[in-house]
Amino acid sequence: MLFAGTCTMQAQVEVEDEDEEEYYEDDAPDSKIKVKNAKGEEEEIDLPEAMSTDVDSLLNLYNTRAYLHPDTTYKWPDINPIYDKDVYKLRLSKLPTVIEMPYNDIVQRFIDRYSSDLRHSVAYMLGAQNLYMPIFEEALESYGLPLELKYLPVIESALNPRAVSRVGATGLWQFMITTAKRYGLKINSLVDERRDPYKASYAAAHYLSDLYKIFGDWNIVIAAYNCGPEKINKAMHRSKKKDYWEIYNYLPQETRGYVPAFIAANYIMNYYCDHNIRPMIADLPVKTDTIEVNRDIHFEQIAAVLGMEVDQIKSLNPQYRRKIVNGNSQPSTLRLPSDMITKFIDNEDSVYNYKNEELLSKRTEVEVDDEMPMFRQTRHPYSHSKRSSRSKRNKKGKKDRSRGKSVSIKDGDTLSEIAARNHTTVSKLRKLNNIKGNNIRAGKKIRIK
């Protein structure tokens, strides 16, 4: 088993067993937080969206259900101790980071939020970090970036690979579509690589590296990751300053809380023990490997033949939006438990053939039946009789049906549609109008009788 960390607690208080469901049920936190500005006036700033995540949605993720469980070893009091601000300052100063972690009242408000209202979400994230932090660290290390940036997804997505913000930012690193595509992530109707922890982590590291080349200050880089470099440049231009805390009042409301939230995330992920937060325990996930497929394949085909759960395949391949690996477009990667790779290869034909027409029913060619069905050409005698009676009673009468009749072709009309509307056949329309093929032009008249 993997643990989020080891706590040395002094004078632990024995408490009665808590109801497990109640313990992991956070009250929905507000979306704003009150702080004091430079003038000492109280104002509200937006919380990063992940700090408003319902903990139940995190606990219902497949990876949570499969690999995480509450730690019932210790009997800790579920209370949040309050410390003097000098204690917080000292703890932040001791973090082994390249990025500065200064203390102020705004940072304190975010630490308080994580250690109180969000303590059960923190317990989840402390367990889930065992699944994701090695990926983050490897990507950051490959670009030579400070490893404390691995806590950005804590405030971006609460370590939920399927997170989607109200503006469409997606995945652990909350990429918008434009930025994601700029850094090589594929997005279409079937695939969204923003949800792929591996590819998204390397794209995020690349983006952060580029931002640092522009600004040269990590707090500014973190802010730019949230709101974009254009808004940072605008704030710098208006304030004529280049320090995050000096351009603070010129930033969007959510970005004002973004760097303080990042500092608070680094604090709580390291000092959770001092706030009586019990991390969820992570069981060692199964080793996985990838195989390339060059045909479309549905998750249900894989699950049925290999004896797996669809949810497990989905959690290992979160980039596929419709449970379909679209290998037909181009060779695509499928991630499976290592012991399933050989089984897949040995049973590949059976996998592809399992309910193929039912699960992958997209047709490549269809024929158009341009003849009217019999029921459209045959009128019910009773209906015909009623229409005849109404026709006789009509004062204006009707034109002689033996005379020719034309209609205007509407935009988008086809011969089949015109024939159906006018109780005739495509063949008759072609003969009446000397039409070869199906070419007709909107606005022109066409004889129907």
Side-chain angles (χ1 to χ4, degrees):
M1 292 187 294
L2 295 174
F3 298 83
T6 303
C7 295
T8 304
M9 303 295 294
Q10 295 181 354
Q12 291 293 337
V13 180
E14 292 291 328
V15 294
E16 294 181 5
D17 285 338
E18 295 171 316
D19 180 74
E20 195 172 274
E21 184 177 347
E22 182 179 344
Y23 177 82
Y24 286 109
E25 213 170 78
D26 283 331
D27 292 326
D30 297 331
S31 60
K32 294 182 181 292
I33 195 167
K34 291 183 178 180
V35 299
K36 288 185 178 180
N37 60 26
K39 297 179 181 178
E41 301 167 338
E42 196 171 70
E43 66 177 12
E44 289 185 335
I45 59 174
D46 293 340
L47 287 172
E49 278 191 61
M51 294 187 74
S52 300
T53 300
D54 179 10
V55 71
D56 287 340
S57 65
L58 300 173
L59 297 178
N60 283 325
L61 294 170
Y62 175 83
N63 280 344
T64 309
R65 292 184 280 109
Y67 304 121
L68 304 181
H69 57 90
D71 180 8
T72 56
T73 305
Y74 296 99
K75 306 299 182 183
W76 299 358
D78 189 20
I79 56 174
N80 178 33
I82 305 300
Y83 300 95
D84 185 81
K85 71 176 185 179
D86 288 336
V87 174
Y88 296 105
K89 287 163 65 175
L90 179 62
R91 288 174 181 170
L92 285 169
S93 70
K94 287 185 174 182
L95 290 175
T97 64
V98 171
I99 302 172
E100 67 174 10
M101 301 281 168
Y103 174 89
N104 56 37
D105 289 340
I106 303 172
V107 172
Q108 181 67 63
R109 292 296 180 96
F110 280 89
I111 291 175
D112 292 343
R113 181 59 64 97
Y114 271 127
S115 58
S116 57
D117 293 344
L118 298 175
R119 58 193 292 108
H120 303 144
S121 295
V122 172
Y124 157 80
M125 290 187 287
L126 287 165
Q129 72 173 342
N130 291 294
L131 308 177
Y132 301 116
M133 290 301 172
I135 303 171
F136 302 163
E137 290 174 342
E138 185 179 279
L140 294 168
E141 186 69 27
S142 71
Y143 281 89
L145 305 183
L147 293 185
E148 54 268 28
L149 289 167
K150 67 186 178 182
Y151 293 125
L152 265 182
V154 168
I155 58 172
E156 284 287 351
S157 62
L159 298 188
N160 176 5
R162 307 193 70 80
V164 180
S165 78
R166 61 177 177 269
V167 295
T170 298
L172 288 162
W173 292 89
Q174 288 290 280
F175 270 108
M176 296 294 287
I177 287 181
T178 304
T179 309
K181 288 189 172 182
R182 191 187 313 148
Y183 284 89
L185 297 179
K186 185 193 305 178
I187 302 167
N188 57 45
S189 296
L190 294 178
V191 179
D192 189 345
E193 291 184 340
R194 294 177 294 175
R195 295 181 177 181
D196 185 321
Y198 297 89
K199 292 183 178 180
S201 295
Y202 279 89
H206 191 175
Y207 183 36
L208 289 165
S209 177
D210 285 350
L211 289 174
Y212 188 73
K213 291 172 186 175
I214 297 170
F215 296 110
D217 179 280
W218 281 113
N219 281 332
I220 293 290
V221 166
I222 292 166
Y225 188 90
N226 174 252
C227 69
E230 297 83 5
K231 290 182 180 178
I232 295 297
N233 283 326
K234 185 177 179 180
M236 286 180 168
H237 180 73
R238 291 176 61 197
S239 66
K240 296 179 172 56
K241 304 288 186 181
K242 293 186 177 181
D243 181 81
Y244 172 82
W245 300 103
E246 292 181 316
I247 68 171
Y248 174 86
N249 286 319
Y250 297 89
L251 295 169
Q253 277 200 332
E254 184 176 329
T255 309
R256 293 182 193 180
Y258 197 73
V259 170
F262 173 72
I263 295 170
N266 272 266
Y267 172 90
I268 203 66
M269 296 297 280
N270 284 277
Y271 293 108
Y272 58 89
C273 293
D274 297 288
H275 293 273
N276 293 328
I277 296 176
R278 295 185 294 181
M280 294 187 76
I281 297 175
D283 295 325
L284 187 67
V286 294
K287 290 184 178 180
T288 63
D289 203 349
T290 58
I291 187 170
E292 198 172 77
V293 297
N294 53 20
R295 293 167 58 183
D296 287 355
I297 186 170
H298 197 284
F299 288 178
E300 288 188 23
Q301 293 177 292
I302 302 166
V305 177
L306 302 191
M308 296 177 63
E309 291 183 59
V310 170
D311 281 348
Q312 183 183 15
I313 301 169
K314 188 176 178 180
S315 74
L316 292 173
N317 301 273
Q319 69 272 32
Y320 297 117
R321 307 171 80 169
R322 313 286 183 211
K323 301 180 185 177
I324 295 173
V325 184
N326 58 324
N328 194 42
S329 300
Q330 63 182 63
S332 298
T333 299
L334 171 67
R335 182 172 293 276
L336 294 172
S338 297
D339 60 350
M340 288 292 171
I341 295 292
T342 302
K343 190 173 181 181
F344 178 89
I345 294 170
D346 291 343
N347 295 276
E348 194 165 356
D349 288 339
S350 298
V351 173
Y352 285 125
N353 291 329
Y354 178 81
K355 292 187 177 180
N356 183 60
E357 292 185 2
E358 178 183 334
L359 296 170
L360 300 167
S361 59
K362 192 163 69 172
R363 295 173 295 176
T364 58
E365 184 178 357
V366 294
E367 291 184 1
V368 178
D369 183 0
D370 59 6
E371 293 296 329
M372 287 298 299
M374 290 301 295
F375 75 88
R376 296 295 299 272
Q377 298 181 45
T378 305
R379 297 186 178 92
H380 193 284
Y382 175 73
S383 299
H384 178 69
S385 174
K386 288 186 69 176
R387 282 197 295 271
S388 298
S389 299
R390 285 198 301 267
S391 179
K392 289 177 182 178
R393 290 196 301 266
N394 194 322
K395 292 180 181 179
K396 294 183 179 179
K398 299 265 183 191
K399 291 185 179 180
D400 188 350
R401 294 181 183 273
S402 64
R403 296 172 56 189
K405 183 178 178 182
S406 299
V407 296
S408 294
I409 301 172
K410 300 175 183 177
D411 189 31
D413 269 350
T414 64
L415 287 175
S416 297
E417 291 169 338
I418 295 171
R421 286 201 301 266
N422 294 281
H423 310 293
T424 185
T425 68
V426 172
S427 299
K428 289 179 181 179
L429 290 180
R430 287 188 180 128
K431 186 174 181 180
L432 279 170
N433 296 277
N434 195 25
I435 296 173
K436 294 180 180 180
N438 295 302
N439 291 331
I440 55 175
R441 292 173 60 186
K444 297 290 184 181
K445 295 279 187 180
I446 185 170
R447 289 183 62 193
I448 60 172
K449 288 185 179 179

